[in-house]
Amino acid sequence: MENIYLPKLAEIKEIIQETNDTKTIRLAINGGSIDFLPGQFGEFSVIGEGESTFGFSSSPLRKEFFEFSFRTSGRATTGINGLNPGDKLSFRGPYGNYFDTVGMKGKNLVFVGGGIGMAPVKSILEYCFDERDDYGKITVLYGARTVNDLLYRNVFDDWKKYKNTEVVITVDPGGETPDWTGKVGFVPTILEQLPLKGENSIAVVCGPPIMIKFALKSLEEKMGFDKENIITTLENRMKCGLGKCGRCNVGSVYVCKDGPVFTARELESLPNDF
Amino acid sequence: MEDKKEKPVKSGGNNVSDPRIIAFVCNWCTYSGADLAGTSRMKYSDNVRVIKLPCSGRIDPLFIVEAFKKGAKGVLVSGCHPGDCHYISGNYHSRRKYAAFRDLLGFLGVDLNRLEFSWISASEGNKWVSVINEFTDKIKSLNDNSSDIFKK
Amino acid sequence: MEEKYFEILAEDLKKFVNSLISDNFNVIAPKDKDGDTFYGKIDKFDEANLDILLPKMSYKEYLLPKTETLFEYSVSGVDVDIKDGLGAVTGENKKRVIFGGRPCDAAAGPIMDKVFNWDYKDEFFNERFKNLTIISIACKKPDNYCFCTEMQLSPESSYGSDILLKKEDNKYFAAVVSEKGLELITPYLSLFKEITKAQIPADKDWKKVFEIEKTKGFLDKNFEHNYFQDRFLSCIGCGICTYTCPTCHCFDIQDEGNLKEGRRIRNWDSCQFAIFTLHTSGHNPRVTQGDRYRQRLMHKFKIYSEKFNKYLCVGCGRCSRNCPEDIDIKEVVKDLAGLI
Amino acid sequence: MANIDEKLQKIAKDLLESGEVSLVIGFAVGSNPQRMRPVFITKAEDANRLSFNHHAVQDLAVFLKKPEVKKFGKIGIVVKGCDEKALNALIQEYQVSRDNIKIIGVECNGVIRQNLADKGETAVSEASVYDKCLICNEHTPILYDYLVPSEDPKLNLSGNLKPYARIEELDSMSPEEKNSFWEKEFDKCIKCYACRQACPLCYCSRCIVEKNMPQWIDTNLEETGNAQWNLIRAYHLSGRCIGCGECERACPVNIPLMLINEKMARDVNNLFGYKSGLDINAKPVFGVFSESDFNEFIK
């Protein structure tokens, strides 16, 4: 008989300070990663401070660790923020559905991320890099409010090295520094300037609700993406991750079980309750 | 888990002969008074753990609840004498609060012998010593089995 | 299992229940307390109040306790020692019998069972459910707040019960509908007289006042309807409706203790609280009380039914009877059925 | 009765027609004849739904804290004497502006306990009304813009029934006995927070139990969490509670919350000579102090 609420303990391998309030934590269980798929999430916690839900941000094909990124804001994240490499973190998961990596094969891919919404995008993006030959052209567009709010700055250059890949980084107007060499402008605006076509392409979008709203609009109306080919992930408040506690249901789906990955077509049929 | 709870008890634990007492004190009067007692090499019961706050007006009843919740056997609240408040009226406000809060605790069945209030000025090192010693003796004399509503 | 039918005299029923108690069963029955009736453990048959229509609260807490310890932890250095809370539940070897509840309450068991087992298996719930034998008594006179008939049940439904009793004069007819029920009465069979189904009085023809499918039809299409905001202005956002409900099962998971030792627990929670869906960022998808009451309706009559083909409501009417502001869910559901 | 209803309806109709208010909160017949329910009238033609009788147990002042209701701006509200004290306290604490509110006071000679009413009780008597009605000095509201007189006979008090008698009983008990009494009561608590939500004076936008940094109150629904919650709720209302009894009425598990509230109201009156909700110009009792305040408990 199994207690589904019982966490495993994962050891912290490395902590990367991404911005002044966000960190990426690399974990290992028995010295390695766990089996998960891009898009899935887990329940992480410092025991004693309560659980919090985060999507995985690493590629599941990188077997030496798994990672997630968080912003310190509440009790659980403050607790996690106080940990050091070598400490144990409790972990349950993986939960939820995942990106259709098989259906993406042979297609051109567009990845659009905003702020900390880049975390789940990074997981699928790096997965595709790890299986680079399976996919067509890859375009990455990532934006944050200011230069200092950009996550994953240490891996941008790695991304650019892959063949047939374009990486565009942008910050909101006013958020640039004098030595900033990337773009300046809101993500949907920059998105429209990119030479993208909806045919044979799949877009993965994640970020703040307002960004998603306009990015979806640009992709559908300006670039001719089909709603089935735009994929995003939803974030609702969750507690159990197991489809029981009743917190995350929207319309007739449990985000933790039937999601968090949805196509724009599926989102359309959900009521405005998230 | 069960055996782990029975840790060796250091001074100021939760047993009858050595009860832990939490003292919430104001920075300006009582803390200085306690400090004076210390620098004058006066000896007093070592069961007390002092928590310094800017003013007795800052000592929220929640702090007292929290202390009891965490297993304190006695709570002392102490600040400047009436009229001496560093912030003019903080202790007057807290006096009102505590008169009512004490009644409420008593009505709900908390043994009021476990909750003590005092005014101790910066020059009253002696008073600090006697308040602590008397309070400790009182708590030791209480029946430790008397349960309270904060803990099982 | 093939249903079996028995007849038992009222005095023998008393003997039966008293024997259960002396044979170490935990018998839970409607019991008078402070001028109202609640489910509680009885020490003898006479403590049970079998005349009351429904106790004020459901017996949900025997399936999903108000607070459940999921595990206990103790930390030393970087080592964490975790003690599974499931042990305590399986340790409760003493079996429980719910005696004298109504068919609506009994129906809640299998309805909750679906949620707790549709995907991951919640063994806390299962362990409790397994050890619970339910003896219900059919209702003779539902009141105006009752609507089990509309909720695909009836005052004489045996759904979810292990044994359903029907009273007539000084005797009871007992329909034993599960193995669990049969197992429970087997040691006491001398008190029961086996009869055939034909000898049991037929169920009355309970009439429906409205069609719940119509309510669902309305909810399917009218998420943004003004009705919700206007009608629930009088909702004060307390959790009574959800906490007294036999089927509301939402919970919260919290850690309690310090960084050295403590426990992770799950507590009852309610979708009627603003904080239920409040994100740390401050964003709240359900801002008004209307939004929140709508969610309760949606969950009961649409979301659950689309997943499990049943409704998350047994029509017991407790939320209406207990609502301090007199919001009558039967009236609401009827309204919605009429709006389409 | 019908006469009262007509008067109420006329006042509400005039207020709405003249645009003096955009919402009238009142009572209407509820889900059965022995129940009244709150009703929100925004159109003059709906005013005929308003009604009042001795089943009107709710304290409608509670709705003034709801953001959805605040949006209406100027509001007319039907209040009994006890409910009106809640309005006074809200005005005192700057939660409601006197200018934004039209008080439609109704004289009340007691409301019937809801559990008795549900069992069919329809007559106002010493035995059928709430304890609060037996000690009520405000059968006529203190402050009002309109007053609708009662047609019920005055409540006849024999003096044999002692309201809140258990307070004295408890006062004479030892701490252990009091503790075990309250332990049993709080054990029933299911933390549905109906006591808080039904209270017109519990208006914090985020309650202390909903804060977790730090976690002052244990989240469990067992002895510790329940006791802490009930203690803090009572403390936050001491010196403020106006005795409408809504917390106790709403409580689905019948915890005698009014014993605590009434005890604190009496103590605050004894200690500081203050009764809440009587005067909109008075300062709240814990907002002020006197140099000669009770000092005996402090060493």
Side-chain angles (χ1 to χ4, degrees):
Chain A
M1 224 170 31
E2 195 202 344
N3 177 352
I4 48 175
Y5 303 96
L6 216 55
K8 298 181 194 81
L9 293 169
E11 194 188 333
I12 299 183
K13 287 281 164 209
E14 197 184 337
I15 299 175
I16 304 154
Q17 185 85 42
E18 301 283 2
T19 72
N20 56 15
D21 60 354
T22 54
K23 281 181 178 173
T24 296
I25 292 200
R26 285 193 171 163
L27 298 161
I29 291 180
N30 300 328
S33 181
I34 49 157
D35 288 329
F36 70 95
L37 290 160
Q40 288 192 298
F41 64 92
E43 293 287 339
F44 298 86
S45 90
V46 182
I47 290 192
E49 298 285 20
E51 290 178 321
S52 207
T53 313
F54 304 104
F56 299 105
S57 61
S58 57
S59 161
L61 298 173
R62 302 184 184 179
K63 289 294 180 193
E64 58 279 15
F65 60 82
F66 62 109
E67 64 178 36
F68 71 98
S69 304
F70 71 99
R71 170 176 292 144
T72 304
S73 50
R75 179 173 161 201
T77 46
T78 304
I80 299 172
N81 189 39
L83 295 178
N84 296 309
D87 287 346
K88 298 265 172 64
L89 195 69
S90 101
F91 161 76
R92 285 195 290 130
Y95 298 133
N97 69 355
Y98 37 83
F99 292 105
D100 176 17
T101 47
V102 178
M104 287 171 152
K105 278 190 182 163
K107 305 264 174 74
N108 296 324
L109 304 177
V110 185
F111 296 95
V112 184
I116 197 160
M118 191 62 190
V121 179
K122 177 172 174 273
S123 177
I124 173 76
L125 170 65
E126 294 192 339
Y127 177 93
C128 295
F129 282 147
D130 290 347
E131 303 272 313
R132 188 66 194 88
D133 293 340
D134 285 353
Y135 305 97
K137 182 170 195 250
I138 290 183
T139 311
V140 183
L141 169 60
Y142 175 42
R145 263 175 307 164
T146 70
V147 177
N148 288 329
D149 289 320
L150 286 167
L151 278 73
Y152 312 125
R153 273 176 287 186
N154 55 339
V155 290
F156 292 164
D157 288 340
D158 296 348
W159 295 351
K160 285 175 190 161
K161 284 179 200 145
Y162 289 96
K163 64 172 186 189
N164 199 11
T165 299
E166 192 185 355
V167 179
V168 181
I169 311 291
T170 177
V171 295
D172 291 354
E176 67 272 24
T177 50
D179 56 349
W180 177 242
T181 55
K183 301 257 186 189
V184 176
F186 294 110
V187 170
T189 320
I190 304 294
L191 180 64
E192 285 182 15
Q193 295 165 8
L194 298 175
L196 298 169
K197 288 258 152 47
E199 294 97 64
N200 198 36
S201 297
I202 287 180
V204 174
V205 185
C206 190
I210 187 83
M211 185 211 93
I212 294 190
K213 190 180 157 198
F214 286 103
L216 292 192
K217 216 171 162 190
S218 306
L219 288 166
E220 277 170 40
E221 290 169 11
K222 301 266 164 60
M223 295 154 190
F225 275 80
D226 201 63
K227 282 194 166 89
E228 266 88 28
N229 293 331
I230 308 175
I231 311 168
T232 183
T233 80
L234 269 191
E235 257 208 51
N236 260 40
R237 196 163 177 227
M238 295 177 198
K239 280 287 179 182
C240 69
L242 306 159
K244 317 240 175 277
C245 80
R247 205 163 298 257
C248 66
N249 60 31
V250 176
S252 49
V253 305
Y254 284 80
V255 175
C256 69
K257 274 303 305 167
D258 307 311
V261 177
F262 293 96
T263 63
R265 173 79 67 211
E266 288 164 331
L267 275 194
E268 211 178 35
S269 65
L270 293 181
N272 183 23
D273 203 16
F274 45 85
Chain B
M1 190 76 194
E2 279 309 311
D3 347 317
K4 282 193 179 167
K5 273 182 184 161
E6 289 167 30
K7 279 177 226 134
V9 180
K10 289 190 202 106
S11 173
N14 291 329
N15 51 3
V16 193
S17 59
D18 206 8
R20 175 157 296 168
I21 292 169
I22 301 294
F24 293 106
V25 303
C26 106
N27 176 38
W28 301 97
C29 293
T30 309
Y31 188 79
S32 305
D35 206 25
L36 178 64
T39 50
S40 319
R41 297 286 187 269
M42 287 185 232
K43 280 208 163 119
Y44 58 90
S45 170
D46 62 358
N47 301 50
V48 67
R49 297 292 177 277
V50 177
I51 297 175
K52 183 173 76 167
L53 290 143
C55 174
S56 52
R58 174 65 186 94
I59 304 167
D60 195 298
L62 283 168
F63 299 176
I64 298 175
V65 176
E66 189 72 14
F68 281 129
K69 212 165 105 179
K70 296 256 159 86
K73 291 287 156 192
V75 175
L76 172 73
V77 174
S78 187
C80 308
H81 284 274
D84 288 354
C85 181
H86 185 81
Y87 306 100
I88 317 293
S89 60
N91 55 358
Y92 285 127
H93 281 288
S94 65
R95 183 167 65 180
R96 274 214 162 181
K97 254 185 343 200
Y98 286 123
F101 185 61
R102 201 174 155 273
D103 279 357
L104 177 59
L105 284 184
F107 190 65
L108 297 183
V110 174
D111 187 348
L112 291 182
N113 286 313
R114 297 191 183 282
L115 179 59
E116 188 112 304
F117 299 87
S118 66
W119 304 132
I120 297 173
S121 78
S123 61
E124 292 177 322
N126 287 326
K127 188 172 175 186
W128 169 257
V129 171
S130 66
V131 164
I132 294 294
N133 285 343
E134 281 165 27
F135 190 36
T136 309
D137 289 344
K138 185 156 84 178
I139 299 246
K140 280 182 184 168
S141 73
L142 294 176
N143 174 13
D144 190 57
N145 294 327
S146 65
S147 54
D148 60 62
I149 60 164
F150 303 111
K151 289 201 317 157
K152 248 191 184 171
Chain C
M1 179 196 117
E2 203 187 323
E3 296 187 5
K4 288 191 174 227
Y5 304 92
F6 297 90
E7 201 181 278
I8 184 168
L9 292 173
E11 61 211 68
D12 286 338
L13 185 72
K14 182 174 167 175
K15 274 186 208 154
F16 168 61
V17 172
N18 281 331
S19 320
L20 286 177
I21 295 169
S22 55
D23 291 346
N24 252 343
F25 278 93
N26 247 327
V27 179
I28 314 291
K31 201 176 157 184
D32 288 339
K33 201 169 157 192
D34 315 326
D36 278 312
T37 310
F38 295 90
Y39 281 106
K41 185 173 176 290
I42 55 165
D43 295 324
K44 54 177 190 287
F45 176 84
D46 292 339
E47 284 175 19
N49 176 353
L50 302 181
D51 301 326
I52 186 90
L53 178 65
L54 275 173
K56 217 171 167 195
M57 300 270 298
S58 73
Y59 57 72
K60 177 169 69 180
E61 62 176 303
Y62 298 102
L63 288 168
L64 182 69
K66 295 192 284 183
T67 292
E68 176 126 65
T69 304
L70 299 173
F71 61 83
E72 290 175 25
Y73 64 85
S74 60
V75 183
S76 59
V78 292
D79 291 326
V80 185
D81 182 35
I82 288 179
K83 189 181 151 202
D84 195 334
L86 208 47
V89 184
T90 48
E92 286 177 13
N93 282 327
K94 208 165 163 183
K95 294 204 170 187
R96 282 207 185 95
V97 175
I98 306 274
F99 173 73
R102 296 296 182 184
C104 51
D105 276 351
I111 289 177
M112 286 222 284
D113 186 50
K114 290 194 163 63
V115 176
F116 285 102
N117 288 294
W118 73 285
D119 194 71
Y120 296 91
K121 308 266 175 284
D122 189 313
E123 299 297 348
F124 288 92
F125 177 87
N126 292 344
E127 209 36 48
R128 291 209 155 79
F129 197 30
K130 199 175 76 191
N131 284 320
L132 202 67
T133 311
I134 297 166
I135 308 177
S136 313
I137 302 182
C139 295
K140 286 236 149 83
K141 248 185 162 173
D143 75 3
N144 283 337
Y145 297 102
C146 290
F147 60 108
C148 59
T149 313
E150 286 77 4
M151 296 316 303
Q152 305 168 330
L153 296 163
S154 96
E156 297 173 283
S157 147
S158 65
Y159 182 72
S161 303
D162 297 300
I163 301 171
L164 179 73
L165 301 175
K166 282 189 195 176
K167 192 177 181 186
E168 206 173 84
D169 302 326
N170 63 343
K171 65 181 177 193
Y172 288 86
F173 296 102
V176 179
V177 298
S178 76
E179 297 286 353
K180 244 193 311 190
L182 193 61
E183 201 183 309
L184 184 80
I185 64 162
T186 303
Y188 314 98
L189 269 183
S190 58
L191 298 170
F192 294 82
K193 181 181 138 201
E194 184 152 5
I195 53 171
T196 62
K197 186 172 186 182
Q199 286 171 278
I200 288 193
D203 286 2
K204 259 204 255 176
D205 180 21
W206 301 96
K207 292 270 187 295
K208 285 189 202 175
V209 184
F210 59 91
E211 295 292 335
I212 192 67
E213 288 73 21
K214 285 196 177 167
T215 308
K216 183 179 180 305
F218 177 85
L219 293 172
D220 281 344
K221 295 195 194 77
N222 295 287
F223 187 80
E224 307 281 0
H225 201 281
N226 279 344
Y227 179 89
F228 301 109
Q229 305 303 337
D230 297 344
R231 180 69 181 78
F232 301 115
L233 264 181
S234 67
C235 177
I236 53 173
C238 70
I240 290 181
C241 48
T242 53
Y243 281 23
T244 59
C245 175
T247 59
C248 271
H249 55 269
C250 290
F251 58 84
D252 187 14
I253 299 177
Q254 292 282 347
D255 283 8
E256 207 170 78
N258 49 37
L259 293 177
K260 286 233 165 66
E261 58 180 21
R263 55 180 188 158
R264 182 163 291 164
I265 53 178
R266 72 159 161 212
N267 300 320
W268 284 4
D269 203 353
S270 169
C271 57
Q272 299 306 299
F273 301 151
I275 196 175
F276 188 69
T277 49
L278 182 68
H279 295 204
T280 318
S281 66
H283 170 66
N284 194 347
R286 298 183 198 128
V287 189
T288 67
Q289 203 52 44
D291 294 347
R292 297 190 274 270
Y293 204 99
R294 175 182 62 201
Q295 166 62 17
R296 183 160 190 265
L297 293 170
M298 287 280 174
H299 197 180
K300 295 218 164 294
F301 304 107
K302 174 174 158 68
I303 300 173
Y304 182 92
S305 85
E306 278 172 11
K307 265 209 148 61
F308 306 115
N309 268 321
K310 269 205 148 308
Y311 293 99
L312 187 63
C313 172
V314 292
C316 69
R318 276 198 183 83
C319 47
S320 314
R321 281 184 215 102
N322 288 325
C323 178
E325 308 299 332
D326 195 39
I327 295 174
D328 182 356
I329 197 167
K330 182 179 179 184
E331 196 181 299
V332 168
V333 174
K334 211 161 81 181
D335 275 0
L336 297 181
L339 274 173
I340 196 158
Chain D
M1 273 309 151
N3 204 356
I4 295 185
D5 293 356
E6 274 166 29
K7 282 179 190 157
L8 279 172
Q9 290 163 7
K10 171 90 171 53
I11 296 166
K13 192 164 171 266
D14 291 350
L15 279 172
L16 286 164
E17 264 172 2
S18 66
E20 275 184 86
V21 300
S22 50
L23 169 72
V24 173
I25 311 177
F27 295 97
V29 177
S31 55
N32 72 42
Q34 267 88 261
R35 279 191 186 203
M36 295 287 255
R37 66 165 53 147
V39 63
F40 297 76
I41 312 272
T42 50
K43 295 192 205 93
E45 62 263 31
D46 293 336
N48 58 9
R49 294 177 62 194
L50 287 175
S51 179
F52 182 84
N53 63 33
H54 43 246
H55 294 302
V57 285
Q58 289 92 351
D59 183 346
L60 302 181
V62 70
F63 292 106
L64 297 177
K65 69 184 179 189
K66 276 186 83 169
E68 297 97 304
V69 172
K70 279 183 184 161
K71 270 191 212 136
F72 283 92
K74 299 214 181 232
I75 298 169
I77 183 166
V78 178
V79 284
K80 309 185 285 288
C82 47
D83 312 343
E84 202 284 315
K85 288 199 283 177
L87 283 184
N88 291 348
L90 288 169
I91 295 169
Q92 259 180 299
E93 295 177 9
Y94 300 102
Q95 294 303 311
V96 167
S97 156
R98 179 69 185 91
D99 301 335
N100 280 344
I101 191 132
K102 288 278 175 216
I103 307 174
I104 309 166
V106 282
E107 262 184 352
C108 157
N109 283 314
V111 285
I112 298 176
R113 285 171 188 268
Q114 207 179 342
N115 55 347
L116 298 181
D118 282 346
K119 288 175 189 153
E121 180 66 64
T122 53
V124 176
S125 75
E126 196 176 30
S128 72
V129 298
Y130 284 98
D131 276 9
K132 66 166 178 176
C133 306
L134 301 178
I135 57 165
C136 178
N137 294 323
E138 289 84 20
H139 291 294
T140 306
I142 298 171
L143 191 69
Y144 51 81
D145 297 299
Y146 306 88
L147 182 69
V148 181
S150 164
E151 287 167 2
D152 264 357
K154 285 265 177 288
L155 195 59
N156 198 6
L157 298 182
S158 67
N160 297 334
L161 267 183
K162 223 171 158 207
Y164 302 122
R166 267 196 289 180
I167 294 181
E168 280 110 60
E169 262 173 59
L170 279 160
D171 270 338
S172 63
M173 289 181 187
S174 72
E176 285 79 13
E177 288 167 329
K178 283 189 238 183
N179 187 17
S180 74
F181 174 86
W182 288 112
E183 207 171 60
K184 263 189 223 117
E185 291 298 337
F186 295 156
D187 186 44
K188 299 191 284 190
C189 178
I190 53 172
K191 278 196 178 168
C192 62
Y193 302 122
C195 44
R196 173 187 80 192
Q197 295 302 106
C199 176
L201 292 169
C202 264
Y203 50 68
C204 293
S205 57
R206 193 153 181 190
C207 175
I208 185 90
V209 291
E210 290 169 348
K211 294 179 183 168
N212 64 359
M213 291 176 79
Q215 184 87 51
W216 289 116
I217 295 170
D218 287 351
T219 55
N220 70 55
L221 283 71
E222 294 169 344
E223 293 94 329
T224 53
N226 290 351
Q228 290 159 24
W229 157 244
N230 280 285
L231 170 76
I232 291 303
R233 187 204 68 83
Y235 177 65
H236 283 183
L237 283 162
S238 53
R240 299 176 63 236
C241 171
I242 46 84
C244 67
E246 282 292 273
C247 48
E248 186 174 291
R249 182 183 71 84
C251 181
V253 291
N254 301 350
I255 300 174
L257 295 168
M258 275 309 285
L259 290 183
I260 312 178
N261 291 339
E262 176 63 17
K263 158 79 180 168
M264 289 317 291
R266 287 182 193 179
D267 279 5
V268 165
N269 190 28
N270 289 341
L271 288 166
F272 313 115
Y274 177 88
K275 285 184 178 170
S276 61
L278 300 186
D279 178 5
I280 55 169
N281 296 314
K283 289 264 181 270
V285 64
F286 291 116
V288 288
F289 63 86
S290 153
E291 291 184 9
S292 59
D293 273 344
F294 178 65
N295 197 46
E296 263 93 283
F297 69 104
I298 305 179
K299 276 202 175 164

